[in-house]
Structure formats: structure tokens, C-alpha cells
């Protein structure tokens, strides 16, 4: 069993581990129990009532957080010609040429947060799936990251405004950042509500029984705080 430090144990003492907190109560505790010296990320962890073995029960969607993520988002765009010009003018951090594509393939370079691509670039970047796929960076139409050139400025703007992509893992869990400890509780609540709305909308028609089975909030290196999943699922932004 992993050994936790003094600060972690002191934070844990503030939490009733048998209780299901309301989202508001849990967010208050997340801020109170964050003991690191940096502006920690607040994460929402969900256990869903889906069977990831079936393709029709996979969750993969995006959400634009009302208050962003509180960090600088580095955007890479795979495009050539006119698409590359549009990306540069829209303020992309990187516009990938053949040399950069080779660097990703051969060195595993992924020093960016969001990757966008125009469809005709898939002939060049299809081989990057092993590198980008592991980190959730592979452009994909379902995630809104495989787009026509004219949509590049909008996609870059959304990425920097707090657009987050998430998907379930093989154990039916979803992990989504919803902001920073330095956010106000109202900002974190709105961001969490936006994620829950996206989760609600993404429910597969073939999923049976309880959809959200468990919800936990935590900060970087902080203890998990259990949230009532039924209350969380019915959250709305600004309510």
C-alpha cells in the first residue's frame, strides 16, 4: 500500500469518507484540502454504467468549460498550403510540417495540448496514431479536431477558451479536469455542471441501469471526495 505524507493525511482528516457530498460541499472541500504550493488542477472522476467492450457504449465527447481551465493551451495544427496559412494567422502555436511530423513519429514529441488537422493531412499523420493516440491527441472527427481549413480559427479559439475532450477508459471510468484550485467555487461549479451536461447528453442508448455510478472530486495530489452521483448528474450551469 502506498504511504501518504503528513500533509495528505491532515487533508484526509477533513473528509468524511463514508459521506456523499453535494457538488458544492465537495468543491469547498477540494479547495480546503489542497496542500501543494502551486495552483493545483481540480479533476472530476466518474464511474459509468457502461460496458466499454461494446463499441456502441463508448463515451467520447467534448465540452467547452464556461470558465476555461486556467492554463495556457498550446495548439498544433496539421495543415499545408492555404490551411497552414489560416492556422498561422489564427495564432496556432505550431503548424506541423514534414520535419515536425517526423519528430513526433521518431522521437515521440508531444509538447502541445491540442492537435487539430484538416482531412487531407490524414494521409501523412495516420502513422502517428501510436504516439498521439496514447495521449488522446490524435485528431478525430468525433472530437471535433479533424476539421476543414475554414474552421481552424474557430477550433483554435475554442481550444484556448477551455474546450476539453474526454473519453471512457477500459474500466468505464472518465477523468476530466474542471479548473484550478484558485478558481472560485462558483466557477468550478459551472465547469463541473458543463461536464455533467455533456456526460448526460453522451449517454449511449444501449446503456442499461444506473448511468453514473460514482463521482469523485480531487485536486492534484489531494484526497478524493465522494459526490452524490444523482445530484451531480442533474447539475445545470448557472443554477
Amino acid at each position: 500500500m502506498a504511504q501518504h505524507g503528513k500533509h495528505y493525511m491532515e487533508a484526509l482528516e477533513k473528509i468524511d469518507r463514508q459521506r456523499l457530498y453535494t457538488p458544492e460541499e465537495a468543491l469547498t472541500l477540494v479547495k480546503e484540502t489542497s496542500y501543494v504550493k502551486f495552483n493545483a488542477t481540480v479533476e472530476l472522476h466518474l464511474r459509468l454504467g457502461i460496458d466499454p467492450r461494446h463499441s456502441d457504449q463508448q463515451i467520447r465527447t467534448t465540452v467547452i468549460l464556461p470558465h476555461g481551465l486556467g492554463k495556457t493551451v498550446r495548439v498544433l495544427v496539421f495543415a499545408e498550403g492555404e490551411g497552414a496559412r489560416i492556422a498561422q494567422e489564427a495564432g496556432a502555436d505550431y503548424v506541423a510540417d514534414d520535419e515536425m511530423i517526423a519528430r513526433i513519429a521518431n522521437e515521440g514529441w508531444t509538447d502541445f495540448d491540442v492537435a487539430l488537422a484538416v482531412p487531407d493531412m490524414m494521409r501523412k499523420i495516420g502513422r502517428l496514431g501510436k504516439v498521439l493516440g496514447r495521449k488522446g491527441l490524435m485528431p478525430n472527427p468525433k472530437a471535433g479536431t479533424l476539421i476543414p481549413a475554414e474552421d481552424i480559427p474557430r477550433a483554435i479559439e475554442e481550444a484556448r477558451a477551455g474546450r476539453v475532450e474526454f473519453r471512457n477508459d477500459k474500466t468505464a471510468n472518465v477523468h476530466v479536469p474542471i479548473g484550478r484550485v484558485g478558481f472560485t467555487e462558483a466557477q468550478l461549479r459551472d465547469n463541473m455542471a458543463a461536464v455533467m451536461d455533456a456526460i448526460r447528453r453522451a449517454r449511449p442508448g444501449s446503456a442499461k441501469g444506473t448511468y453514473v455510478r460514482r463521482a469523485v472530486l480531487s485536486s492534484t495530489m489531494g484526497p478524493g471526495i465522494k459526490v452524490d452521483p444523482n445530484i451531480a448528474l442533474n447539475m445545470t450551469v448557472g443554477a
Side-chain angles (χ1 to χ4, degrees), residues 182-205:
F183 283 21
T184 67
E185 291 173 23
Q187 288 174 325
L188 289 171
R189 189 203 175 281
D190 279 350
N191 281 358
M192 180 178 174
V195 171
M196 294 310 303
D197 179 64
I199 288 287
R200 190 165 58 242
R201 294 173 184 272
R203 177 171 183 160

Side-chain angles (χ1 to χ4, degrees), residues 33 41 117 137 150 232:
T33 56
T41 297
L137 292 171
E150 58 267 25

Side-chain angles (χ1 to χ4, degrees), residues 34 122 154 183:
S34 178
M122 291 306 294
R154 173 193 56 78
F183 283 21

Side-chain angles (χ1 to χ4, degrees), residues 101-155:
I101 291 172
R103 184 181 177 192
I104 294 170
N106 300 327
E107 301 175 21
W109 179 78
T110 55
D111 195 18
F112 48 91
D113 304 294
V114 175
L116 306 173
V118 295
D120 62 3
M121 287 297 291
M122 291 306 294
R123 59 187 167 81
K124 287 191 173 184
I125 67 175
R127 63 192 178 105
L128 303 181
K130 289 184 178 180
V131 178
L132 300 182
R134 288 197 299 266
K135 297 192 175 184
L137 292 171
M138 189 68 182
N140 183 286
K142 291 184 178 180
T145 49
L146 185 62
I147 52 176
E150 58 267 25
D151 285 348
I152 290 173
R154 173 193 56 78

